[in-house]
Amino acid sequence: MSAEHVLDDRRDGHRPHGHARVRVLANKVPEVTVYFWVIKVLTTGMGETASDFLARLLGPVPAVALGALALVASLVLQFAVRRYVPWIYWTAVVMVSVFGTMAADVLHVGLGVPYAVSAPGFLIALAAVFGLWFAVERTLSIHSVRSRRREAFYWAAVLATFALGTAAGDLTATAGFGYLGSVVLFAVAICVPALAHRAGTLGAVTAFWTAYVITRPLGASIADWMALPGARGGLGLGLGPVTLSWTVAILGFVGYLAVSRADARPR
């Protein structure tokens, strides 16, 4: 047993009284590899188009209700397991993506809140989650998500990042950049934290969460550009086909990780 595991147990209120009684939880999130970022971008785009597709197919209210139920069910399953399981974890991320898109769209379309207002609002909400998380746990690292409390903070942050990213992406798309212009903008933006971290001017945790937020508008802008008609600056492939193709890609990558365990941290 590593010293890091014992320290995490003590912080979570589990004092070791002998080897057999120490409670050790495996980290509940994957290692940050190239697969992580590829699947993260895929889930953001799939969530964007799936949300719009369901809203058109079922109507906004039934779609939001279905999205909320699916999100709750996926998170209940995620919290029930004691280690990182690829298909369970990424199902939860997909459901967060779909519902996060719906939350941002409900504010804008349903309540008439401008993206210029909702984006800063979601940013404040995310800052509040991070502030409370750090005040309680003294870390925002995803490498020590080994307690239910830390996992709750993690998923609250993830949900806030998706809502923020959706609002930010729609803001740039409607502010003159268009969907393809937004793709270029966020592709450049996501390089900034990576380069800053490599240069030693930005810490690993800050760089990770900055990139994590940017992946949302990046993936969503790509998917919107592919799906929406040419009159709106897109390729016109359609919401259904883009949702389906990105879902197949997600299943392929997650299936590979389930077999290879290439993103699982050794215990």
Side-chain angles (χ1 to χ4, degrees):
M1 181 184 302
S2 71
E4 183 181 10
H5 283 158
V6 175
L7 179 58
D8 284 334
D9 284 334
R10 286 174 176 166
R11 285 177 176 172
D12 295 332
H14 304 289
R15 296 181 178 276
H17 299 293
H19 180 78
R21 297 183 63 183
V22 176
R23 182 184 178 191
V24 178
L25 297 179
N27 199 39
K28 294 293 295 293
V29 301
E31 286 291 281
V32 180
T33 65
V34 65
Y35 301 110
F36 178 92
W37 293 115
V38 170
I39 300 174
K40 175 60 167 58
V41 171
L42 288 171
T43 60
T44 64
M46 180 270 187
E48 176 77 12
T49 55
S51 173
D52 293 341
F53 180 74
L54 289 173
R56 294 184 182 182
L57 181 67
L58 304 176
V61 174
V64 171
L66 179 62
L69 288 174
L71 173 62
V72 170
S74 64
L75 288 179
V76 167
L77 184 58
Q78 168 65 20
F79 274 80
V81 297
R82 294 179 60 83
R83 61 181 178 84
Y84 162 64
V85 180
W87 73 268
I88 294 177
Y89 173 86
W90 287 109
T91 296
V93 173
V94 167
M95 291 302 103
V96 169
S97 177
V98 172
F99 189 76
T101 301
M102 291 177 174
D105 288 345
V106 164
L107 282 179
H108 181 70
V109 179
L111 301 179
V113 178
Y115 291 124
V117 174
S118 61
F122 286 128
L123 179 59
I124 293 172
L126 177 60
V129 172
F130 281 149
L132 183 59
W133 184 357
F134 188 80
V136 173
E137 298 291 345
R138 310 309 299 173
T139 179
L140 299 178
S141 173
I142 68 165
H143 299 299
S144 59
V145 182
R146 297 191 183 93
S147 72
R148 295 291 180 261
R149 186 172 63 195
R150 289 184 182 180
E151 191 172 11
F153 280 125
Y154 173 79
W155 286 106
V158 168
L159 183 57
T161 64
F162 272 88
L164 169 60
T166 298
D170 288 336
L171 175 62
T172 60
T174 56
F177 285 93
Y179 295 106
L180 182 57
S182 295
V183 171
V184 175
L185 173 65
F186 292 116
V188 172
I190 203 170
C191 295
V192 174
L195 294 175
H197 175 59
R198 183 177 293 273
T201 58
L202 191 65
V205 173
T206 303
F208 169 82
W209 283 112
T210 302
Y212 196 92
V213 170
I214 298 173
T215 56
R216 172 56 182 172
L218 173 60
S221 296
I222 295 172
D224 277 336
W225 173 62
M226 294 176 63
L228 295 178
R232 297 180 59 184
L235 296 178
L237 300 180
L239 293 171
V242 171
T243 299
L244 179 60
S245 61
W246 285 49
T247 299
V248 171
I250 293 169
L251 291 174
F253 278 106
V254 173
Y256 168 74
L257 293 178
V259 173
S260 68
R261 304 293 293 171
D263 64 340
R265 174 185 285 266
R267 290 191 59 179

